Amino acid sequence: MTMIIQTALTIGGAGLVCGGALALAARFLAVKEDPRVAEVDEILPGANCGGCGYAGCAAYAEAVVLEDAPINLCAPGGAEILDKLADATGQTAQMAEHQVAVVLCGGEVENAPRKFDYNGVADCRAAHETGGGDKVCTYGCLGYASCSRACPVGAIEIVNGIAKVHPDLCISCQVCVRTCPRNLIKMVPYARKIHVMCSSKDKGPVVKKACKVGCIGCTICTKLAEDDAIKMEGFLAVVDYEKELDNDAVIEKCPGKCIVRI
């Protein structure tokens, strides 16, 4: 009986000592959060999209307050949120140029043939890892809606077998960019309307077999576009979105019919 009492007292005493130590640690070692972090976090839209480059709104709020991160990184918040952040932090910043996502592929059902019937999970990454995807073009949009499901605002839909972005709905969160296994989705300035809707790096003859509207690397558009607004990357014509491009001739003269105005 004495042994049981001694054991109980020993365990109880150890528990009291440990509990006291934890209480002291909680009091003297606690990290006090700057109340401004919660204030900034409350202003942010709570989308937690990661478009600002941080893990979520809370992480961005902490960076704004404690690390002087720019307050104009929240694209979903827009000008209204920027004004509120400026009032809360005393910082001044101009709204960054609005960026929207664009899927650089024109391989709709009637344009891009399939090499087999895919009956697996309706997910682009799963399809991509199954024999390299069911499309003959190994660069084209697979159309299994992974980006559409990932978009937090419903700005992407599947039309005729490929993903299409509604620019007026896009909040620039870049979730779709990170979702696409073929890296077809790019963020471009909202003001830019002319795009090369192809991402194939193959030579012209191979592209022609894989898609009716692919870039064949003819370089005609690069000669027509002023200020090198279109340049070649290997066999693929690529728009330089930092430069003005408003020349309809690049659309009309493209033999591959892959340059369009959206």
Side-chain angles (χ1 to χ4, degrees):
M1 192 66 173
T2 303
M3 181 75 70
I4 295 175
I5 294 174
Q6 289 178 344
T7 302
L9 290 174
T10 301
I11 295 174
L16 286 173
V17 171
C18 291
L22 289 172
L24 290 172
R27 179 177 179 181
F28 294 106
L29 301 179
V31 177
K32 294 183 179 180
E33 183 179 275
D34 191 318
R36 295 175 299 165
V37 173
E39 182 183 355
V40 171
D41 190 20
E42 185 68 23
I43 292 171
L44 294 171
N48 293 314
C49 61
C52 59
Y54 295 90
C57 292
Y60 179 42
E62 190 171 305
V64 166
V65 173
L66 304 180
E67 302 170 15
D68 292 324
I71 61 173
N72 63 348
L73 301 181
C74 181
E80 181 181 356
I81 295 296
L82 180 60
D83 289 342
K84 291 181 179 179
L85 289 174
D87 290 340
T89 63
Q91 291 189 42
T92 57
Q94 290 184 340
M95 191 66 199
E97 184 176 15
H98 184 43
Q99 302 266 319
V100 296
V102 60
V103 182
L104 297 178
C105 176
E108 299 180 355
V109 172
E110 61 270 21
N111 295 327
R114 305 269 173 172
K115 56 187 177 182
F116 60 84
D117 291 329
Y118 173 71
N119 294 315
V121 178
D123 174 81
C124 294
R125 190 166 300 280
H128 178 68
E129 293 175 355
T130 303
D134 54 342
K135 268 191 171 179
V136 174
C137 177
T138 57
Y139 298 92
C141 175
L142 292 163
Y144 290 106
S146 293
C147 57
S148 179
R149 290 190 294 272
C151 179
V153 294
I156 306 176
E157 66 175 326
I158 304 301
V159 181
N160 293 333
I162 62 173
K164 303 272 189 178
V165 178
H166 295 284
D168 292 334
L169 298 178
C170 179
I171 61 173
S172 309
C173 69
Q174 303 184 46
V175 171
C176 59
V177 175
R178 298 189 292 271
T179 300
C180 179
R182 292 190 164 182
N183 300 313
L184 295 174
I185 307 178
K186 307 297 181 185
M187 300 303 300
V188 305
Y190 181 84
R192 302 292 183 259
K193 304 299 182 183
I194 294 178
H195 310 281
V196 177
M197 301 301 284
C198 180
S199 297
S200 176
K201 296 177 174 61
D202 289 331
K203 294 182 179 180
V206 177
V207 173
K208 284 184 175 181
K209 293 179 181 179
C211 187
K212 295 178 181 178
V213 291
C215 177
I216 59 174
C218 67
T219 75
I220 291 175
C221 59
T222 64
K223 298 179 176 67
L224 295 171
E226 298 177 355
D227 194 27
D228 295 325
I230 300 180
K231 55 189 177 182
M232 299 301 298
E233 291 186 1
F235 301 104
L236 177 65
V238 177
V239 175
D240 184 346
Y241 288 104
E242 294 185 358
K243 299 178 179 178
E244 292 282 349
L245 177 61
D246 196 29
N247 183 359
D248 284 334
V250 300
I251 300 172
E252 297 163 0
K253 300 294 184 180
C254 175
K257 304 302 179 185
C258 63
I259 304 180
V260 302
R261 181 185 291 273
I262 300 178

